[in-house]
Amino acid sequence: MLATSLAPAARGALNSLGLSKAPAETRVVVAMSGGVDSSVVAAMLALEGYDVVGVTMQLYDHGEATHRKGACCAGQDIHDARDVAARLGVPHYVLDYEERFREKVIEPFARAYVAGETPVPCVACNQHMKFADLYAAANDLGADLLATGHYVVSREDESGGRALYRAADPDRDQSYFLFATTRAQLARVRFPLGAMSKARVRELARKFGLVNSEKADSQDICFVPSGHYSEMIERLIPGASVPGEIVHINGRVLGRHNGVVHYTIGQRRGIGVAAAEALYVVALDAANARVIVGPRSALAVTRLRLRDVNWIGGGEFADLPANGLPVAARVRSTRSPASALLMRTGEIDFMEPESGVSPGQACVFYESVDPHARVLGGGFIVAS
């Protein structure tokens, strides 16, 4: 039933998660967010006879989000995870990570926006919470593996480790948000839903009688109950919205704004100035409180510089060809990977211009543009 591939084992027959142990002797901690995906993972593994332990991270003030459609890791979600675990007859723990989540995800998110960047909190949550703190908790619980409900595929590579691939269902693929996962983490993390469609997952949830079988999917910025991130930033960093000028790329001052935190690169609507031509936000100069606008053509870039590059492809990043490695690079989760050259200096050269690229966003690279291609790694955009 499981949709995982097999990992290497030293001896004996492999179980469905790739270990040479009987399922009953294999402890798997399942990250249960309260949503349908992770609940189905827990149910699948429990029914196969694995020693399943459910763990839910409480990440922010759950009182604010208890009744908000699309929330996760708070309020009703914790109750749903607990109910599913009880139905399955597996232990369930709730870990209070509110302070860590604030320090590792929420506050850096706010500071990045104040600096004129466009951060990706889901990447930070996976990198610093799910595959760091939760990963450590799984170790403390004596788990052999950690399993999540992400739509991504992992399987054995040519070196005996595990490689990450895009999900079978391109509409559900979450590989963009997992590029920062390390090789060591991949060795002990499993993604049982990687080869499934969302429709199949909901079908299984109904078959298993799970209370959350029809529950709405969680939203990207789960810790913003109102949906207005600028309000949250103002609460965290009073005075963050510094007024300034809206300036055309030709130097003309077109108007005033109430703070760069209200703008993102590529934005067209709600800029606050009237003009004969369609204007887009093409840059944010936070240091001088300036929003720079221009025509759509001004958004086009062909080269990006990255920081904090994480490499999970074959070999070592430092050994990439001097003239660059052909890859497919993806600058937004909603955008298809595009042909590019990855340089070992951490630069990306696109074959065709990309638009709407902002510092702080993730750039993820794949082996090819194939919808099931291997994830090679990624980094965060510094400049273009």
Coordinates of all heavy atoms in Angstrom, one line a residue, residues 181-241:
T181 N 16.8 20.1 3.0 CA 16.9 18.8 3.8 C 18.3 18.3 3.5 O 18.8 18.2 2.3 CB 15.9 17.8 3.3 OG1 14.6 18.4 3.4 CG2 15.9 16.6 4.2
T182 N 19.0 17.8 4.5 CA 20.4 17.3 4.3 C 20.4 15.8 4.0 O 19.4 15.1 4.1 CB 21.2 17.5 5.6 OG1 20.7 16.7 6.6 CG2 21.2 19.0 6.1
R183 N 21.5 15.4 3.5 CA 21.7 14.0 3.2 C 21.5 13.1 4.4 O 20.8 12.0 4.3 CB 23.1 13.7 2.6 CG 23.3 14.3 1.2 CD 24.7 14.2 0.8 NE 24.9 14.6 -0.6 CZ 26.1 14.8 -1.1 NH1 27.2 14.7 -0.4 NH2 26.2 15.1 -2.4
A184 N 22.0 13.5 5.5 CA 21.8 12.7 6.8 C 20.3 12.6 7.2 O 19.9 11.6 7.6 CB 22.6 13.3 7.9
Q185 N 19.6 13.7 7.0 CA 18.2 13.7 7.3 C 17.4 12.8 6.3 O 16.5 12.0 6.7 CB 17.6 15.1 7.3 CG 18.1 16.0 8.4 CD 17.9 17.5 8.2 OE1 17.6 17.9 7.1 NE2 18.1 18.3 9.2
L186 N 17.7 12.9 5.0 CA 17.1 12.1 4.0 C 17.2 10.6 4.3 O 16.3 9.8 4.0 CB 17.6 12.4 2.6 CG 17.1 13.7 2.0 CD1 17.8 13.9 0.7 CD2 15.6 13.7 1.8
A187 N 18.3 10.2 4.9 CA 18.6 8.8 5.2 C 17.5 8.3 6.2 O 17.3 7.1 6.2 CB 20.0 8.6 5.7
R188 N 17.0 9.1 7.0 CA 16.1 8.7 8.1 C 14.7 9.3 8.0 O 13.9 9.2 9.0 CB 16.7 8.9 9.4 CG 18.0 8.2 9.7 CD 18.5 8.3 11.1 NE 17.5 7.8 12.1 CZ 17.5 8.1 13.3 NH1 18.4 8.9 13.8 NH2 16.5 7.6 14.2
V189 N 14.3 9.9 6.9 CA 13.0 10.4 6.7 C 12.3 9.7 5.5 O 13.0 9.5 4.5 CB 13.1 12.0 6.4 CG1 11.7 12.5 6.2 CG2 13.7 12.7 7.6
R190 N 11.0 9.5 5.7 CA 10.3 8.8 4.6 C 9.1 9.7 4.3 O 8.5 10.3 5.1 CB 9.8 7.4 5.0 CG 11.0 6.5 5.3 CD 11.8 6.2 4.1 NE 12.8 5.2 4.3 CZ 14.1 5.5 4.7 NH1 14.5 6.7 4.8 NH2 15.0 4.5 4.9
F191 N 8.7 9.6 3.0 CA 7.6 10.4 2.5 C 6.6 9.4 1.7 O 6.6 9.3 0.5 CB 8.1 11.4 1.5 CG 9.2 12.3 2.0 CD1 10.5 12.1 1.7 CD2 8.9 13.3 2.9 CE1 11.5 12.8 2.2 CE2 9.9 14.1 3.4 CZ 11.2 13.9 3.0
P192 N 5.7 8.7 2.5 CA 4.9 7.7 1.9 C 3.9 8.1 0.9 O 3.3 7.3 0.1 CB 4.2 7.1 3.1 CG 5.1 7.4 4.3 CD 5.7 8.7 4.0
L193 N 3.6 9.5 0.8 CA 2.6 9.9 -0.2 C 3.2 10.4 -1.5 O 2.4 10.8 -2.4 CB 1.8 11.1 0.4 CG 1.1 10.8 1.8 CD1 0.3 12.0 2.2 CD2 0.3 9.6 1.8
G194 N 4.5 10.3 -1.7 CA 5.1 10.8 -2.9 C 4.6 10.4 -4.2 O 4.6 11.1 -5.2
A195 N 4.1 9.1 -4.3 CA 3.6 8.6 -5.6 C 2.1 8.7 -5.7 O 1.5 8.1 -6.6 CB 4.1 7.1 -5.7
M196 N 1.4 9.3 -4.7 CA 0.0 9.4 -4.7 C -0.6 10.7 -5.2 O 0.1 11.7 -5.1 CB -0.6 9.1 -3.3 CG -0.3 7.7 -2.8 SD -1.2 7.5 -1.3 CE -0.6 5.8 -0.8
S197 N -1.8 10.7 -5.6 CA -2.6 11.9 -5.9 C -3.3 12.3 -4.6 O -3.5 11.5 -3.7 CB -3.5 11.7 -7.0 OG -4.6 10.8 -6.6
K198 N -3.7 13.6 -4.5 CA -4.5 14.0 -3.4 C -5.8 13.3 -3.3 O -6.3 13.0 -2.2 CB -4.7 15.5 -3.5 CG -5.4 16.1 -2.3 CD -4.5 16.2 -1.1 CE -5.2 16.8 0.1 NZ -4.2 17.3 1.1
A199 N -6.4 13.1 -4.5 CA -7.7 12.4 -4.5 C -7.6 11.0 -3.9 O -8.4 10.5 -3.2 CB -8.2 12.3 -6.0
R200 N -6.5 10.3 -4.2 CA -6.2 9.0 -3.6 C -6.0 9.0 -2.1 O -6.5 8.2 -1.4 CB -5.0 8.3 -4.3 CG -4.6 7.0 -3.7 CD -5.7 6.0 -3.7 NE -5.2 4.6 -3.2 CZ -6.0 3.7 -2.8 NH1 -7.4 3.9 -2.8 NH2 -5.6 2.5 -2.4
V201 N -5.4 10.1 -1.6 CA -5.1 10.2 -0.2 C -6.5 10.4 0.5 O -6.7 9.8 1.5 CB -4.2 11.4 0.1 CG1 -4.1 11.7 1.5 CG2 -2.8 11.0 -0.4
R202 N -7.3 11.3 -0.1 CA -8.6 11.5 0.6 C -9.5 10.2 0.5 O -10.2 10.0 1.5 CB -9.4 12.7 -0.1 CG -8.7 14.0 0.2 CD -9.7 15.1 0.0 NE -9.1 16.4 0.2 CZ -8.9 17.0 1.3 NH1 -9.3 16.4 2.4 NH2 -8.4 18.2 1.4
E203 N -9.4 9.5 -0.6 CA -10.1 8.2 -0.7 C -9.7 7.3 0.5 O -10.5 6.6 1.1 CB -9.8 7.6 -2.0 CG -10.5 6.2 -2.2 CD -10.1 5.6 -3.6 OE1 -9.6 6.3 -4.5 OE2 -10.2 4.4 -3.7
L204 N -8.4 7.2 0.7 CA -7.9 6.4 1.8 C -8.3 6.9 3.2 O -8.7 6.1 4.1 CB -6.3 6.3 1.8 CG -5.7 5.5 0.6 CD1 -4.2 5.7 0.6 CD2 -6.1 4.0 0.8
A205 N -8.3 8.2 3.3 CA -8.8 8.8 4.6 C -10.2 8.4 4.9 O -10.6 8.1 6.0 CB -8.7 10.3 4.6
R206 N -11.1 8.4 3.8 CA -12.5 8.0 4.0 C -12.5 6.5 4.3 O -13.3 6.1 5.2 CB -13.3 8.3 2.8 CG -13.5 9.8 2.6 CD -14.5 10.1 1.5 NE -13.9 9.9 0.2 CZ -13.3 10.8 -0.6 NH1 -13.1 12.0 -0.1 NH2 -12.8 10.4 -1.8
K207 N -11.7 5.7 3.7 CA -11.7 4.3 3.9 C -11.3 4.0 5.3 O -11.8 3.1 6.0 CB -10.7 3.6 2.9 CG -10.5 2.1 3.1 CD -9.5 1.6 2.1 CE -9.3 0.1 2.4 NZ -8.2 -0.4 1.5
F208 N -10.3 4.8 5.8 CA -9.9 4.5 7.2 C -10.8 5.1 8.3 O -10.6 5.0 9.5 CB -8.4 5.1 7.4 CG -7.4 4.5 6.5 CD1 -6.3 5.3 6.0 CD2 -7.5 3.2 6.1 CE1 -5.4 4.7 5.2 CE2 -6.5 2.6 5.3 CZ -5.4 3.4 4.9
G209 N -11.8 5.9 7.8 CA -12.7 6.5 8.7 C -12.1 7.7 9.5 O -12.5 7.9 10.7
L210 N -11.2 8.4 8.9 CA -10.5 9.5 9.6 C -11.4 10.7 9.7 O -12.1 11.1 8.7 CB -9.2 9.9 8.9 CG -8.2 8.7 8.8 CD1 -6.9 9.2 8.2 CD2 -7.9 8.0 10.1
V211 N -11.4 11.4 10.9 CA -12.3 12.5 11.1 C -12.0 13.7 10.2 O -12.9 14.5 9.9 CB -12.2 12.9 12.6 CG1 -10.8 13.5 12.9 CG2 -13.2 14.0 13.0
N212 N -10.8 13.8 9.7 CA -10.4 14.9 8.9 C -10.3 14.6 7.4 O -9.5 15.3 6.7 CB -9.0 15.5 9.4 CG -8.0 14.4 9.5 OD1 -8.2 13.3 9.1 ND2 -6.8 14.8 10.1
S213 N -11.0 13.6 6.9 CA -10.9 13.2 5.6 C -11.2 14.3 4.5 O -10.7 14.3 3.4 CB -11.7 12.0 5.3 OG -13.1 12.3 5.5
E214 N -12.1 15.2 4.9 CA -12.5 16.3 4.0 C -11.9 17.6 4.4 O -12.3 18.7 3.9 CB -14.0 16.4 3.9 CG -14.7 15.1 3.5 CD -14.2 14.5 2.2 OE1 -13.8 15.3 1.3 OE2 -14.1 13.2 2.1
K215 N -11.0 17.6 5.3 CA -10.4 18.9 5.9 C -9.6 19.7 4.8 O -8.9 19.1 4.0 CB -9.5 18.6 7.0 CG -9.0 19.8 7.8 CD -8.3 19.3 9.0 CE -7.8 20.5 9.9 NZ -7.1 20.0 11.1
A216 N -9.8 21.0 4.8 CA -9.1 21.8 3.8 C -7.6 21.8 4.1 O -7.1 21.5 5.2 CB -9.6 23.3 4.0
D217 N -6.9 22.0 3.0 CA -5.4 22.0 3.1 C -5.0 23.2 3.8 O -5.6 24.3 3.8 CB -4.8 22.0 1.7 CG -5.0 20.7 0.9 OD1 -5.2 19.7 1.6 OD2 -5.0 20.8 -0.3
S218 N -3.8 23.1 4.5 CA -3.2 24.2 5.2 C -2.7 25.3 4.3 O -2.4 25.0 3.1 CB -2.1 23.8 6.1 OG -1.1 23.2 5.4
Q219 N -2.6 26.5 4.8 CA -2.1 27.7 4.0 C -0.6 27.8 4.2 O -0.1 27.3 5.2 CB -2.9 28.9 4.4 CG -4.4 28.9 4.1 CD -5.1 30.1 4.6 OE1 -4.5 30.9 5.4 NE2 -6.3 30.3 4.2
D220 N 0.0 28.5 3.2 CA 1.5 28.7 3.3 C 1.9 29.4 4.6 O 2.7 29.0 5.3 CB 2.0 29.4 2.1 CG 2.0 28.5 0.8 OD1 1.8 27.3 1.0 OD2 2.2 29.0 -0.3
I221 N 1.3 30.6 4.8 CA 1.7 31.4 6.0 C 0.7 31.1 7.1 O -0.3 31.8 7.3 CB 1.7 32.9 5.6 CG1 2.6 33.2 4.4 CG2 2.2 33.7 6.8 CD1 2.7 34.6 4.0
C222 N 0.9 30.0 7.7 CA 0.0 29.4 8.7 C -0.1 30.3 10.0 O -1.1 30.2 10.7 CB 0.3 28.0 9.1 SG 2.0 27.8 9.8
F223 N 0.9 31.1 10.3 CA 0.9 31.8 11.5 C 0.4 33.2 11.4 O 0.6 34.0 12.3 CB 2.4 31.8 12.1 CG 3.4 32.4 11.1 CD1 3.6 33.7 11.0 CD2 4.1 31.5 10.4 CE1 4.6 34.2 10.1 CE2 5.1 31.9 9.5 CZ 5.3 33.3 9.4
V224 N -0.3 33.5 10.3 CA -0.9 34.8 10.1 C -2.4 34.7 10.1 O -3.0 34.5 9.0 CB -0.4 35.5 8.8 CG1 -1.0 37.0 8.8 CG2 1.1 35.5 8.8
P225 N -3.1 34.6 11.3 CA -4.5 34.3 11.3 C -5.4 35.2 10.5 O -6.4 34.8 9.9 CB -4.9 34.5 12.8 CG -3.6 34.3 13.5 CD -2.5 34.8 12.6
S226 N -5.0 36.5 10.4 CA -5.8 37.4 9.6 C -5.6 37.4 8.1 O -6.3 37.9 7.3 CB -5.5 38.9 10.1 OG -4.2 39.2 9.7
G227 N -4.4 36.7 7.7 CA -4.1 36.7 6.3 C -3.3 37.9 5.9 O -2.8 38.0 4.8
H228 N -3.1 38.9 6.8 CA -2.4 40.2 6.5 C -1.1 40.2 7.2 O -1.0 40.5 8.4 CB -3.2 41.4 6.9 CG -4.6 41.4 6.2 ND1 -4.8 41.6 4.9 CD2 -5.9 41.3 6.8 CE1 -6.1 41.6 4.6 NE2 -6.7 41.4 5.7
Y229 N 0.0 39.7 6.5 CA 1.3 39.6 7.1 C 1.8 40.9 7.6 O 2.6 41.0 8.6 CB 2.2 38.9 6.2 CG 2.5 39.6 4.9 CD1 3.4 40.6 4.8 CD2 1.8 39.3 3.8 CE1 3.7 41.2 3.6 CE2 2.0 39.9 2.6 CZ 3.0 40.9 2.5 OH 3.2 41.6 1.3
S230 N 1.5 42.0 6.9 CA 2.1 43.3 7.3 C 1.6 43.7 8.7 O 2.4 44.4 9.4 CB 1.7 44.4 6.3 OG 0.3 44.5 6.1
E231 N 0.4 43.4 9.1 CA -0.1 43.7 10.4 C 0.7 42.9 11.5 O 1.0 43.4 12.5 CB -1.6 43.3 10.5 CG -2.5 44.1 9.6 CD -3.9 43.7 9.7 OE1 -4.2 42.7 10.5 OE2 -4.8 44.3 9.0
M232 N 1.0 41.6 11.1 CA 1.8 40.8 12.1 C 3.2 41.4 12.2 O 3.7 41.4 13.3 CB 1.8 39.4 11.5 CG 2.6 38.4 12.4 SD 4.4 38.3 12.0 CE 4.4 37.7 10.3
I233 N 3.8 41.8 11.1 CA 5.1 42.4 11.2 C 5.1 43.7 12.0 O 6.1 43.9 12.8 CB 5.6 42.7 9.7 CG1 5.8 41.4 9.0 CG2 6.9 43.5 9.8 CD1 6.1 41.6 7.5
E234 N 4.1 44.5 11.9 CA 4.0 45.7 12.7 C 3.9 45.4 14.2 O 4.5 46.1 15.0 CB 2.8 46.6 12.3 CG 3.2 47.5 11.1 CD 4.0 48.7 11.6 OE1 4.3 48.8 12.8 OE2 4.2 49.6 10.8
R235 N 3.2 44.3 14.5 CA 3.1 43.9 15.9 C 4.5 43.4 16.5 O 4.9 43.7 17.6 CB 2.1 42.8 16.1 CG 0.7 43.3 16.0 CD -0.3 42.3 16.5 NE -0.2 41.0 15.9 CZ -0.9 40.6 14.8 NH1 -1.7 41.5 14.2 NH2 -0.7 39.4 14.3
L236 N 5.2 42.7 15.6 CA 6.5 42.2 16.1 C 7.6 43.2 16.1 O 8.4 43.2 17.0 CB 6.9 41.0 15.1 CG 6.3 39.7 15.3 CD1 6.8 38.7 14.3 CD2 6.6 39.1 16.7
I237 N 7.5 44.1 15.1 CA 8.6 45.1 15.0 C 7.9 46.5 14.8 O 7.6 47.0 13.7 CB 9.5 44.9 13.7 CG1 10.0 43.5 13.8 CG2 10.6 45.9 13.7 CD1 10.8 43.1 12.5
P238 N 7.5 47.1 16.0 CA 6.8 48.4 15.9 C 7.6 49.4 15.1 O 8.9 49.5 15.3 CB 6.7 48.8 17.4 CG 6.7 47.5 18.1 CD 7.6 46.6 17.3
G239 N 7.0 50.2 14.2 CA 7.7 51.1 13.4 C 8.3 50.5 12.2 O 9.0 51.2 11.5
A240 N 8.0 49.3 11.9 CA 8.5 48.6 10.7 C 8.1 49.3 9.4 O 8.8 49.3 8.4 CB 8.2 47.1 10.7
S241 N 6.8 49.8 9.4 CA 6.3 50.5 8.2 C 6.8 51.9 8.1 O 6.1 52.8 8.5 CB 4.8 50.4 8.2 OG 4.4 49.1 8.1

